[in-house]
Amino acid sequence: MISVKHYFKYLVLVGLAYSMFSSCKKETFTTSSDHAVTVNNDTLWFDTVFTKASVRWPLSVNKQILVHNPYKESIRTNIILGGGANSHYRLNVDGESGHTFENVEIFPNDSIFLFVEVHPDPNNNSPEFNPLIIRDSILFETNGNQSKTMLIGWGQDAHYIFRDSIETDTTWANSNLPIVVYGYCYVKPDVTLTIEKGMQVHFAPSSWLFVEGKVNIQGSKEEPVLMQGDRLQPAWEERAGQWGGIWLNWPTHGNRIEHAVIKNGTVGVYCDTIPGEASSENVTISKTMIRNMSYDGVAGRGSRIVMYNSISANCGRHTFLASEGGDYYVYNCTFFTDGRDFGRNNPTFGYTNRTRDQFNNITAIYPIRYDFRNNIIDGINRDGEIAGDIDTSQLFEPWHIENNMLKTEQLNTYGTGNNELNKDPKFLDIDAYNFDLDSLSAAKNAGQELNPPVLDDYCNRPRTGLPDAGAFESQY
């Protein structure tokens, strides 16, 4: 019979032997290209607004990511912070801080925590140092496979709208803090959003101001409302396609945009199949510049749009497009696209009441009215910069194209109505988006007196006598 004392010694010896055997057993790592770590977040949001900094360090938020090995063997992965040492973000892996971690080992069916902090400086609003939205990513490299977790955080002191709706009448006033929209800002039906002079509204990529209620933009010549992307570095200052645009959808009507600069988006103002009321347009655009749109400057589908004393310039497809019929009244505006950013075949100004399929067959016809007078429509398209596709059986009064300066090869179509064809408008400085008129411009006194009259121009300067064509009344 074995005594308890000897039995205990026996267990100790067995345990030591097993421990020695286990320590000698080699740990195996999977190297299969089919195997990679899994991560519980593809995007990590830091949506706290940083309004103060501590005495020594900016305020920060700590978040975590779970990195999992789902296999029966251990696995090695590299974890890399995209921005490296210059990133606003900081990583901590198993208690070690850094921005690059090589051959991080994770046991079979086990996980590790990766901690992430962001350190913006809300007191330094230099766009080079501290953007409105701080973007970075964490790269995971495992057995030749790569995956990313995006890092997105608010950088400057601003009012941030993150995929949110406006449900009561709201005013954005110039409080020295910009508005930053991420995803969308949705104005609900029967609700009015007023944007007052001097406001700066920034949009993240693919973000829209989506309106089914009403938007009332009330800038001034000295303090226009500015709407653009969220990247403020000089290299992004005039780059198209950085955000979506203003999307007006049924049942919206009575929208007004005055003294605004809308730039660097996809579509400046888009009215989507919303016929207006006889006494209320879908949108009235005045004394506004829309530029650098990767698609269209102003576009309407079956809509009622009034536009005067405005500029739409440098767009990838059309500076103005009226499609699927509707009512369009455009007076004393300037439409121009050169070749600085886009290779295009479309005319800069288009209007149609037909839709066509891929084989150019007509599939539908819509009623349309249009009144285009005292405009400049110009660019570098050899085939001309204005084109219409109209079924006259659905063309109703008014249908005027008069006293415009047009670049066109369709002389028989546009050579009536006292239009000036293929003459140089002599803008002062196209590269600086200054479409004011030189003293020798053929647009001087090329317009007609309208009823009701357009009394002043884009810069609030009075129009006297016969008005000039385009958005500007020449001072020479």
Side-chain angles (χ1 to χ4, degrees):
M1 183 175 179
I2 302 176
S3 67
V4 173
K5 181 178 180 181
H6 287 99
Y7 183 70
F8 177 74
K9 289 181 179 179
Y10 172 77
L11 290 177
V12 171
L13 289 173
V14 169
L16 288 172
Y18 179 79
S19 176
M20 291 175 63
F21 175 78
S22 298
S23 64
C24 293
K25 184 179 178 181
K26 186 176 181 180
E27 184 179 1
T28 60
F29 291 87
T30 177
T31 58
S32 171
S33 60
D34 294 330
H35 290 177
V37 297
T38 61
V39 182
N40 68 334
N41 275 308
D42 60 4
T43 304
L44 208 58
W45 301 94
F46 293 80
D47 54 0
T48 299
V49 179
F50 299 87
T51 57
K52 295 181 180 179
S54 63
V55 176
R56 295 185 58 191
W57 303 103
L59 296 175
S60 178
V61 171
N62 185 300
K63 296 200 173 186
Q64 63 187 29
I65 298 174
L66 189 69
V67 186
H68 182 61
N69 172 17
Y71 307 106
K72 295 180 180 180
E73 297 175 286
S74 295
I75 199 167
R76 291 190 178 101
T77 187
N78 298 328
I79 302 174
I80 303 165
L81 181 61
N86 295 323
S87 176
H88 284 280
Y89 293 90
R90 303 289 182 267
L91 301 185
N92 187 295
V93 178
D94 277 352
E96 181 181 349
S97 298
H99 51 81
T100 301
F101 304 85
E102 296 182 346
N103 295 321
V104 177
E105 299 180 0
I106 306 176
F107 293 128
N109 296 305
D110 201 359
S111 302
I112 63 169
F113 283 104
L114 190 159
F115 296 94
V116 188
E117 290 184 345
V118 61
H119 291 274
D121 185 351
N123 301 316
N124 183 348
N125 284 351
S126 163
E128 295 291 347
F129 176 79
N130 206 35
L132 286 167
I133 297 178
I134 302 174
R135 299 174 177 86
D136 209 334
S137 62
I138 303 171
L139 178 66
F140 300 90
E141 296 179 341
T142 313
N143 296 336
N145 302 296
Q146 292 187 345
S147 62
K148 279 185 179 180
T149 292
M150 302 304 298
L151 305 176
I152 300 175
W154 307 153
Q156 296 185 19
D157 198 1
H159 298 297
Y160 290 87
I161 296 175
F162 179 72
R163 298 174 184 168
D164 206 354
S165 300
I166 294 179
E167 301 183 355
T168 60
D169 289 352
T170 299
T171 297
W172 293 346
N174 190 2
S175 61
N176 297 321
L177 292 179
I179 301 288
V180 183
V181 177
Y182 196 102
Y184 62 82
C185 176
Y186 168 41
V187 183
K188 289 192 171 183
D190 301 317
V191 172
T192 298
L193 169 63
T194 300
I195 306 176
E196 293 191 349
K197 63 181 182 180
M199 279 303 301
Q200 297 188 31
V201 188
H202 301 273
F203 295 82
S206 302
S207 299
W208 293 81
L209 177 59
F210 188 77
V211 182
E212 290 183 348
K214 186 183 297 184
V215 63
N216 187 10
I217 298 176
Q218 302 176 338
S220 68
K221 177 182 177 296
E222 294 76 19
E223 296 181 271
V225 171
L226 176 61
M227 307 180 82
Q228 62 178 335
D230 66 82
R231 296 181 182 272
L232 305 183
Q233 299 90 331
W236 294 84
E237 187 173 355
E238 299 293 342
R239 187 177 297 185
Q242 296 182 44
W243 59 290
I246 301 174
W247 189 321
L248 306 176
N249 197 49
W250 187 88
T252 188
H253 64 275
N255 299 281
R256 298 192 64 86
I257 301 173
E258 183 172 5
H259 280 303
V261 176
I262 304 170
K263 67 176 189 171
N264 303 344
T266 302
V267 180
V269 179
Y270 176 53
C271 287
D272 188 7
T273 320
I274 40 176
E277 302 174 358
S279 60
S280 180
E281 294 76 21
N282 294 127
V283 62
T284 299
I285 303 170
S286 63
K287 300 176 181 177
T288 288
M289 177 175 285
I290 298 170
R291 68 178 189 250
N292 301 335
M293 296 294 153
S294 59
Y295 211 57
D296 296 331
V298 178
R301 295 175 59 202
S303 303
R304 184 180 176 91
I305 296 176
V306 175
M307 185 173 179
Y308 62 94
N309 279 341
S310 294
I311 303 107
S312 183
N314 198 38
C315 297
R317 192 175 71 156
H318 302 287
T319 53
F320 182 90
L321 175 63
S323 64
E324 297 186 18
D327 295 11
Y328 304 93
Y329 304 88
V330 182
Y331 310 116
N332 285 103
C333 290
T334 298
F335 302 93
F336 179 86
T337 295
D338 57 15
R340 75 181 78 184
D341 294 316
F342 307 107
R344 61 186 175 88
N345 296 316
N346 297 304
T348 198
F349 191 101
Y351 57 102
T352 178
N353 66 342
R354 294 167 168 159
T355 55
R356 297 177 180 269
D357 63 18
Q358 58 182 330
F359 305 106
N360 208 33
N361 298 313
I362 296 172
T363 57
I365 302 171
Y366 306 88
I368 190 170
R369 296 177 178 85
Y370 52 79
D371 192 3
F372 306 144
R373 287 187 278 179
N374 297 0
N375 304 292
I376 297 176
I377 300 173
D378 198 62
I380 63 168
N381 194 322
R382 292 181 179 179
D383 296 327
E385 293 290 7
I386 179 171
D389 184 13
I390 298 296
D391 187 307
T392 57
S393 68
Q394 291 295 305
L395 176 59
F396 299 95
E397 287 282 357
W399 45 281
H400 304 302
I401 303 178
E402 299 176 357
N403 289 84
N404 304 286
M405 279 195 66
L406 307 176
K407 181 172 184 178
T408 179
E409 295 301 313
Q410 301 178 49
L411 304 182
N412 293 333
T413 302
Y414 300 107
T416 60
N418 204 30
N419 295 300
E420 298 281 355
L421 305 185
N422 302 317
K423 294 184 178 181
D424 186 355
K426 295 189 180 298
F427 300 124
L428 284 183
D429 192 346
I430 292 171
D431 291 338
Y433 300 98
N434 183 353
F435 295 97
D436 211 338
L437 303 176
D438 182 81
S439 59
L440 300 178
S441 173
K444 293 180 64 175
N445 301 323
Q448 62 173 269
E449 293 184 12
L450 302 175
N451 186 20
V454 177
L455 297 175
D456 55 8
D457 73 349
Y458 176 82
C459 296
N460 295 341
R461 301 180 303 211
R463 293 188 183 271
T464 57
L466 283 177
D468 297 346
F472 295 88
E473 190 74 8
S474 174
Q475 300 304 291
Y476 299 101

